Amino acid sequence: MVNWADLKIAIILLGPPGAGKGTQARLLSEKFGFAHISTGDMLRTAVKNGTEQGVRAKTFIEAGMLAPDEVVDGIVRERLQQEDCRRGFILDGYPRTLPQADTLQALFAQDVIRSFTIGISVKDDVLVARLGGRWICPSCNRTFSRQLSSGSLKGLCDKCGVALTQRNDDAVEVITERLRVYREQTAPLIKYYQERGTYFQIDGDQSPAKIFYSIRDTIAKRDGADRATAKGAAR
Ligand code: AMP
């Protein structure tokens, strides 16, 4: 069993837009108390607040393109220094490019971190349907889908009671661009993490609960194997 209290764990959730990274990050964060770091949420907040980072990222987000690496790297670097990341954190939407992955490796090297990259795979037609039917709570950032939640049917967030909205970048033309960008710039990270032996793929075309259990079990199994190897080496 993983002794979650002992470890600083980084869980990187990798997958195309609509794969369910945000939902899984929230479940993992609620269950294990790790900080949930969503670069998309942080950038949208920066845009809303008109910060310098938000101003630099705005046009890229609207076009379905990636914000510049140095903007996102800066946001993540600051965030990881906060107290709630001390035990561990879940990265939802970062890294998304090879240079971002290198930046993250350099940050990991400064600390004792066990990292797991979980790739959530989902077919394109399922993603397009999911994103088109996705509703967001502007207050808590939870997402709802037409199929899965009673909240979305009433048009209100289950938790906050606030009216749900749709993201501008979930419009069909922008979704196509975001999927193209994912394939071109983010999918190469699969090989990057496979080569480091920290990549695990999960079938994302299942219920959120099943995906969550798969992620939890994958990490627990890997952690057990690593500990056994470490014990053997110490003998
Ligand atoms: P998300 O909410 O994760 O789908 O992100 C929404 C948008 O924010 C993306 O389409 C990008 O424009 C931008 N974004 C989020 N994370 C990153 C990142 N790691 N690198 C560059 N741009 C990002």
Side-chain angles (χ1 to χ4, degrees):
M1 273 294 284
V2 175
N3 188 357
W4 299 95
D6 288 353
L7 300 165
K8 179 155 183 174
I9 287 189
I11 302 174
I12 300 169
L13 296 177
L14 196 64
K21 300 186 294 299
T23 302
Q24 293 306 318
R26 202 162 6 255
L27 292 171
L28 289 160
S29 167
E30 280 165 15
K31 182 77 187 163
F32 300 116
F34 299 153
H36 172 186
I37 301 177
S38 159
T39 42
D41 284 348
M42 288 193 288
L43 287 167
R44 279 184 289 278
T45 303
V47 170
K48 214 194 288 172
N49 295 340
T51 66
E52 191 193 326
Q53 290 159 325
V55 170
R56 289 192 63 195
K58 188 171 189 284
T59 46
F60 294 97
I61 297 175
E62 284 169 355
M65 292 160 69
L66 295 183
D69 285 338
E70 68 274 15
V71 172
V72 190
D73 289 343
I75 287 181
V76 171
R77 200 176 284 122
E78 268 172 38
R79 181 68 184 86
L80 291 184
Q81 281 165 11
Q82 289 175 14
E83 177 60 22
D84 63 337
C85 297
R86 205 169 36 84
R87 275 191 52 226
F89 49 87
I90 301 149
L91 291 166
D92 160 14
Y94 182 91
R96 261 171 150 114
T97 64
L98 288 167
Q100 289 180 13
D102 282 338
T103 301
L104 187 63
Q105 285 302 117
L107 288 174
F108 284 175
Q110 295 166 13
D111 212 340
V112 183
I113 292 182
R114 311 262 333 262
S115 79
F116 302 87
T117 302
I118 304 291
I120 308 179
S121 64
V122 182
K123 290 195 201 83
D124 275 10
D125 52 339
V126 177
L127 295 172
V128 173
R130 273 192 200 171
L131 290 169
R134 176 159 87 168
W135 292 81
I136 314 276
C137 169
S139 170
C140 70
N141 288 325
R142 275 170 55 144
T143 56
F144 298 84
S145 79
R146 263 184 219 133
Q147 301 86 357
L148 293 180
S149 168
S150 57
S152 65
L153 294 178
K154 291 186 226 131
L156 299 176
C157 174
D158 287 345
K159 197 170 141 215
C160 315
V162 171
L164 301 175
T165 57
Q166 285 195 293
R167 274 169 51 173
N168 291 339
D169 63 349
D170 280 346
V172 115
E173 336 60 90
V174 189
I175 293 172
T176 312
E177 175 63 7
R178 287 164 66 206
L179 290 175
R180 191 191 64 73
V181 167
Y182 171 78
R183 268 191 298 273
E184 206 175 282
Q185 301 195 54
T186 309
L189 296 182
I190 294 175
K191 187 158 168 262
Y192 181 97
Y193 288 113
Q194 276 172 338
E195 284 169 0
R196 282 162 179 75
T198 59
Y199 181 80
F200 307 91
Q201 185 137 317
I202 304 282
D203 174 10
D205 200 0
Q206 314 177 68
S207 69
K210 280 198 177 146
I211 299 172
F212 171 73
Y213 294 133
S214 301
I215 297 175
R216 186 200 59 183
D217 294 348
T218 300
I219 294 175
K221 204 163 126 196
R222 171 57 191 251
D223 184 73
D226 284 354
R227 278 166 187 258
T229 311
K231 250 193 216 161
R235 263 191 217 123

